[in-house]
Amino acid sequence: MLFRSLHMTRIILSGHSEREAIMKSVRLAHQYLSKPCDPDELKQVLQKTAAMRWLLTRDDLINLVSQIESLPPLPHSYSRLMDALESDDVTMEKVGELISQDMGMATTVLKLVNSAFFGLPSQVASPSQAVSLLGLDIIKGLVLSQGLFETLKIQRVPGMSFEKLWQHCQAVGCMAKQIMQVEGQDRSLTDQAFIAGIMHDVGKLVLATVKAREYATVIEAVRRSNRPVMDVERKVFGVTHGEIGAYLLGLWGVQEALVGAIALHNNPVYASALGGGSGRLLLAAVHAANVFEHEFRVINPGYARPGLDQGFLNDVNLLDRLPAWRQACQTIATSEGCNGSSQGSR
């Protein structure tokens, strides 16, 4: 019997091979580790879990989570990818082969990779080719984020388009990645920015799933009073979608810097949980990309748009970089695609 506590992260450590059956039977588990488990891996998981306690110190967040029967488990397709990537002999070909064995995952990856959003010069015919072109981190991020949109039992919320939300998240990811490239960061950090960008609003999915009626009142209030979404969320729920999304991803063991960027993307602060300079730059990139995307592509004219937190950007010595970032993101918005081709209407 699995003991349930609001303050606990529930991790399965098991030697059973039928992982999918285990995750279905124990729906309250957030992470799964296979036996034999390397002690360093276990320590790392526990350290990451402890590090996210800064999110759980808020009673209002805990109270909201306590009303959720069970947070969704990590999408199975993503779990399988993580298992493969932990192998010592993993190759891009093997990962592509794994994706090919899952019809839903293969369809999702090929659909996204071949969309005009990525603007690749030729049609990608196989998951292996997709992995080779985009890299393992981008593929993982796409599978996780799209898996959430497809697996959460989202109810229709009047005035809220989940298709447009997904398009917004893709664009923010692309712009955040572009900002990191402008700053001369390596591929690992630029890929992290893309993943944080496409997942920054995942908390809206969670709230729309578990609190559909209340979230409909949030959307209505936003339209009626022209207030920022996060301000109305905090009044209604006591927390914002950024904090809720970060909590969920933190339970799943997503990297701490990504969790911090998602939690704080609307209200960035100089938090120790972000880690070093790269973590603060990641937060700044996602924050700015979100603001720019709302500025360049106005979906709902009645919504109050978020503004840049110049105090934070000044504190992290990035305020003078805004003109270069804006120009780079404006180029993406104008060309409507990560690599300069049409992304289609929003």
Side-chain angles (χ1 to χ4, degrees):
M1 180 176 179
L2 184 67
F3 179 73
R4 182 177 181 183
S5 170
L6 304 181
H7 298 267
M8 283 187 177
T9 300
R10 296 171 289 277
I11 303 171
I12 291 179
L13 180 60
S14 173
H16 293 285
S17 59
E18 295 298 325
R19 178 192 186 117
E20 185 172 11
I22 292 170
M23 295 306 287
K24 285 182 178 179
S25 62
V26 193
R27 294 186 65 244
L28 294 177
H30 300 121
Q31 296 184 57
Y32 178 96
L33 298 175
S34 300
K35 291 182 179 178
C37 179
D38 182 85
D40 290 336
E41 179 189 359
L42 180 58
K43 289 178 183 177
Q44 188 176 43
V45 169
L46 295 176
Q47 287 170 350
K48 284 182 178 180
T49 301
M52 63 168 280
R53 296 298 297 178
W54 66 281
L55 279 171
L56 292 180
T57 58
R58 300 181 55 92
D59 289 338
D60 41 21
L61 177 59
I62 296 172
N63 289 337
L64 178 60
V65 171
S66 71
Q67 300 173 49
I68 302 173
E69 180 180 354
S70 69
L71 288 169
L74 190 67
H76 179 58
S77 54
Y78 184 78
S79 299
R80 294 180 67 199
L81 269 184
M82 293 303 295
D83 282 348
L85 293 171
E86 289 168 4
S87 172
D88 293 334
D89 59 349
V90 65
T91 64
M92 289 191 174
E93 291 74 18
K94 285 190 176 182
V95 172
E97 194 174 306
L98 176 63
I99 294 174
S100 299
Q101 294 170 5
D102 185 312
M103 181 67 72
M105 185 160 53
T107 300
T108 294
V109 167
L110 290 178
K111 178 182 177 182
L112 291 172
V113 171
N114 283 317
S115 69
F117 174 73
F118 281 104
L120 297 176
S122 60
Q123 194 79 358
V124 177
S126 70
S128 295
Q129 186 184 6
V131 174
S132 177
L133 287 170
L134 297 180
L136 296 175
D137 286 339
I138 293 294
I139 292 295
K140 284 191 294 182
L142 289 175
V143 169
L144 177 57
S145 56
Q146 186 65 14
L148 281 168
F149 274 81
E150 292 177 348
T151 59
L152 285 178
K153 296 178 180 178
I154 302 169
Q155 300 183 42
R156 292 187 63 83
V157 176
M160 186 175 182
S161 167
F162 294 103
E163 180 181 357
K164 289 181 178 179
L165 178 62
W166 173 231
Q167 292 172 351
H168 164 71
C169 289
Q170 290 182 82
V172 171
C174 187
M175 290 182 183
K177 179 179 180 179
Q178 184 73 6
I179 288 172
M180 296 295 266
Q181 289 176 335
V182 168
E183 293 304 303
Q185 300 302 307
D186 61 23
R187 178 165 183 172
S188 174
L189 289 175
T190 59
D191 285 354
Q192 282 186 35
F194 177 80
I195 294 168
I198 62 175
M199 294 195 294
H200 78 287
D201 274 350
V202 69
K204 290 183 178 179
L205 295 180
V206 176
L207 289 171
T209 299
V210 302
K211 292 288 183 181
R213 184 178 301 176
E214 293 89 338
Y215 208 65
T217 67
V218 169
I219 299 301
E220 174 59 27
V222 166
R223 288 191 165 189
R224 186 177 63 251
S225 60
N226 194 33
R227 286 184 292 164
V229 173
M230 55 277 190
D231 290 353
V232 182
E233 289 172 341
R234 192 170 296 285
K235 181 177 181 181
V236 174
F237 300 113
V239 294
T240 69
H241 65 271
E243 292 162 339
I244 289 292
Y247 172 80
L248 175 60
L249 295 171
L251 288 178
W252 287 349
V254 171
Q255 187 176 346
E256 186 181 4
L258 294 177
V259 170
I262 292 166
L264 303 171
H265 71 269
N266 278 316
N267 296 291
V269 294
Y270 198 101
S272 60
L274 296 172
S278 61
R280 294 190 289 272
L281 177 58
L282 176 64
L283 170 58
V286 175
H287 170 64
N290 182 53
V291 172
F292 291 153
E293 210 280 332
H294 279 292
E295 176 185 329
F296 299 150
R297 308 166 188 259
V298 179
I299 298 176
N300 295 301
Y303 281 23
R305 295 196 297 271
L308 287 165
D309 190 324
Q310 298 198 12
F312 166 76
L313 294 169
N314 183 64
D315 287 345
V316 295
N317 299 315
L318 292 170
L319 186 60
D320 63 342
R321 301 299 298 150
L322 279 180
W325 294 1
R326 185 185 298 274
Q327 182 178 0
C329 291
Q330 179 70 70
T331 300
I332 292 174
T334 301
S335 60
E336 302 212 0
C338 248
N339 292 323
S341 61
S342 174
Q343 184 181 342
S345 63
R346 305 177 72 237

